[in-house]
Amino acid sequence: MSVEKLEKTTEASAGSGKKTPKNPAGLEGVVALESSISSIIGTQLTYRGYTIDDLASNAQYEEVVYLLWFGKLPNRAELDDFRAKLSKSFEIPRQVIDLIKSAPKDVHPMDVIRTAVSLLAFYDPDTKDMSREANIRKATRLTAQITTIVGAIGRVREGEEPVTPRPELDISSNFVYMLSGKEPDEVSVKAINVALVLHADHELNASTFSARGTVSTLADMHSGVVSAIGTLKGPLHGGANEAVMRMLLKIGTMDKIDEFIEQALANKEKIMGFGHRVYKEGDPRAKFLRGMSQEMGKLKGDTRWYDMSVRIEKMMAEEKKLLPNVDFFSASMYYSLGIPIELFTPVFTVSRISGWLAHILEQLSDNRLIRPRAEYVGPLDQRYVPIDQRP
Ligand SMILES: CC(C)(COP(=O)(O)OP(=O)(O)OC[C@H]1O[C@@H](n2cnc3c(N)ncnc32)[C@H](O)[C@@H]1OP(=O)(O)O)[C@@H](O)C(=O)NCCC(=O)NCCS
């Protein structure tokens, strides 16, 4: 691509009306590709044209996965067929269970998930088959298997044996069952279903971009997912939900909030769970999670973490004009549900894998290698100097 064409490309902006600098840091505002999976328009997030509010209020997670991959909501027969295929795929190879059991105790669950998905590729009969049919079979298996992987990691960290998935249960129920080892209760299943729907896809976020870049080289689907897991882990992306809960626990009580936040802002520290690269007027998923956090707190008879979150939300709006993102209220919601903190980002992974897979399928349907340019700003005209003549 010529420099002239590169300049044109980098000038494309996300339609904010703001002129994008030629090489914006962090690719802010750069439109890197076209996609028909999800869109962010103002404060509206849609999956295939359906608003997130509509889907989170009405849809089962499996319907949303189908929608993301196939572009339409399934009818009854299509959903039954899709669920039957998912339910046959929950089991994971013994070698993956062994890996989960033998992982060092101080390794973060996201690292175990990343390695476990990499290991799944050894045993998937379709790993090397890149046809669309094989890719859909692998996507179906990965979506079910990741639920079992995270459930098993949760059990092993509690010193318990992993629970065998139950094929008759849907993804949310199976997940709650495999984490707790108990009959899944309706409240937890409903909350997990909504959380999975809300986190499933989000346009060209950092981990999705990683997944698309990896498979654009025609590397296999598992490699694309492994890249994405590594990217999601960071505290500026999916890792923020854990950081939020650790902050709430560190603050401890309502009366300590003001001093803590003022001090952190004075030290130019970031308050996790606030701000967003794209949403400047608010994240549409946050209001759902805010309500769920309150509801869950009330049900458990302890709204402390919700109440504290609301106070922090108010301070951040007043002092920094920053609003909560998807990770802020999901932290107190998961905590009230009894999910261990180090599994918050893994829960995000159980959901976002469906979005990564939708993007991988879309990328491969009309693939062109993703290979942008960098503007070189280092020195030129250097000459090799033998080592003993160098200063
Ligand atoms: C999401 C995030 C990475 C977006 O980053 P970005 O678009 O590169 O925005 P920047 O980090 O450049 O922030 C712009 C300004 O807002 C401030 N800011 C952004 N998020 C902030 C936060 N959470 N707490 C305090 N200040 C924040 C920055 O310090 C910066 O201020 P400055 O212009 O005075 O230097 C950023 O808001 C952040 O780090 N948030 C916390 C992590 C998080 O919750 N991530 C999950 C995202 S869904």
Side-chain angles (χ1 to χ4, degrees), residues 235-237 240 270-277 320 322 325 327:
L236 297 187
H237 192 6
K270 279 191 168 170
I271 306 298
M272 292 292 135
F274 284 89
H276 199 274
R277 172 59 63 78
K320 293 288 289 182
L322 284 173
N325 57 47
D327 293 306

Side-chain angles (χ1 to χ4, degrees), residues 57 112 120 321 334-335 337 339 341 343 347 369 381 388 391:
S57 307
V112 184
L120 282 178
K321 295 200 171 26
Y334 292 150
Y335 197 73
L337 264 180
I339 296 176
I341 298 173
L343 290 188
V347 176
L369 175 72
D381 300 328
D388 47 11

Side-chain angles (χ1 to χ4, degrees), residues 170-217:
D170 60 25
I171 290 181
S172 305
S173 311
N174 233 337
F175 188 44
V176 173
Y177 169 65
M178 287 190 280
L179 274 180
S180 64
K182 296 188 199 118
E183 197 56 34
D185 67 288
E186 209 181 305
V187 170
S188 305
V189 171
K190 192 167 165 261
I192 289 293
N193 183 68
V194 176
L196 296 185
V197 170
L198 289 175
H199 286 82
D201 195 43
H202 204 215
E203 202 219 48
L204 207 53
N205 60 89
S207 53
T208 300
F209 190 52
S210 295
R212 290 190 76 132
T214 299
V215 300
S216 83
T217 70

Side-chain angles (χ1 to χ4, degrees), residues 140-172:
T140 308
R141 281 197 280 274
L142 276 162
T143 302
Q145 286 168 327
I146 198 113
T147 317
T148 312
I149 288 173
V150 176
I153 292 172
R155 296 289 291 171
V156 169
R157 289 178 82 85
E158 300 282 314
E160 307 276 359
E161 272 298 303
V163 171
T164 307
R166 281 175 30 198
E168 79 280 12
L169 296 181
D170 60 25
I171 290 181
S172 305

Side-chain angles (χ1 to χ4, degrees), residues 84-309:
K85 287 179 176 142
L86 283 164
S87 68
K88 283 196 199 111
S89 308
F90 282 111
E91 290 217 12
I92 53 178
R94 180 185 44 77
Q95 292 86 343
V96 176
I97 299 271
D98 291 345
L99 167 87
I100 292 169
K101 285 184 174 171
S102 64
K105 295 284 162 275
D106 58 344
V107 162
H108 192 279
M110 287 301 284
D111 296 335
V112 184
I113 300 171
R114 187 195 58 220
T115 311
V117 170
S118 198
L119 190 56
L120 282 178
F122 294 178
Y123 303 102
D124 193 299
D126 291 314
T127 300
K128 292 189 189 131
D129 186 345
M130 292 288 277
S131 65
R132 182 167 164 87
E133 297 69 36
N135 281 338
I136 288 170
R137 287 196 296 275
K138 281 179 280 187
T140 308
R141 281 197 280 274
L142 276 162
T143 302
Q145 286 168 327
I146 198 113
T147 317
T148 312
I149 288 173
V150 176
I153 292 172
R155 296 289 291 171
V156 169
R157 289 178 82 85
E158 300 282 314
E160 307 276 359
E161 272 298 303
V163 171
T164 307
R166 281 175 30 198
E168 79 280 12
L169 296 181
D170 60 25
I171 290 181
S172 305
S173 311
N174 233 337
F175 188 44
V176 173
Y177 169 65
M178 287 190 280
L179 274 180
S180 64
K182 296 188 199 118
E183 197 56 34
D185 67 288
E186 209 181 305
V187 170
S188 305
V189 171
K190 192 167 165 261
I192 289 293
N193 183 68
V194 176
L196 296 185
V197 170
L198 289 175
H199 286 82
D201 195 43
H202 204 215
E203 202 219 48
L204 207 53
N205 60 89
S207 53
T208 300
F209 190 52
S210 295
R212 290 190 76 132
T214 299
V215 300
S216 83
T217 70
L218 299 184
D220 61 284
M221 182 174 259
H222 287 78
S223 295
V225 173
V226 169
S227 289
I229 294 170
T231 310
L232 184 69
K233 178 188 161 187
L236 297 187
H237 192 6
N241 53 14
E242 300 188 17
V244 171
M245 198 60 227
R246 292 193 203 286
M247 174 182 73
L248 289 172
L249 290 169
K250 192 169 167 194
I251 299 174
T253 49
M254 191 65 122
D255 57 310
K256 305 257 172 54
I257 292 177
D258 291 27
E259 192 191 341
F260 181 95
I261 298 294
E262 274 159 18
Q263 189 65 52
L265 292 180
N267 293 343
K268 302 247 173 267
E269 286 167 26
K270 279 191 168 170
I271 306 298
M272 292 292 135
F274 284 89
H276 199 274
R277 172 59 63 78
V278 184
Y279 301 117
K280 299 300 174 196
E281 306 294 325
D283 182 330
R285 303 162 298 177
K287 66 172 188 297
F288 254 97
L289 291 156
R290 191 181 197 278
M292 285 162 71
S293 165
Q294 183 179 30
E295 202 183 320
M296 227 32 82
K298 278 188 186 157
L299 275 169
K300 303 283 163 167
D302 180 6
T303 57
R304 170 159 52 139
W305 308 114
Y306 167 75
D307 296 337
M308 286 174 64
S309 302

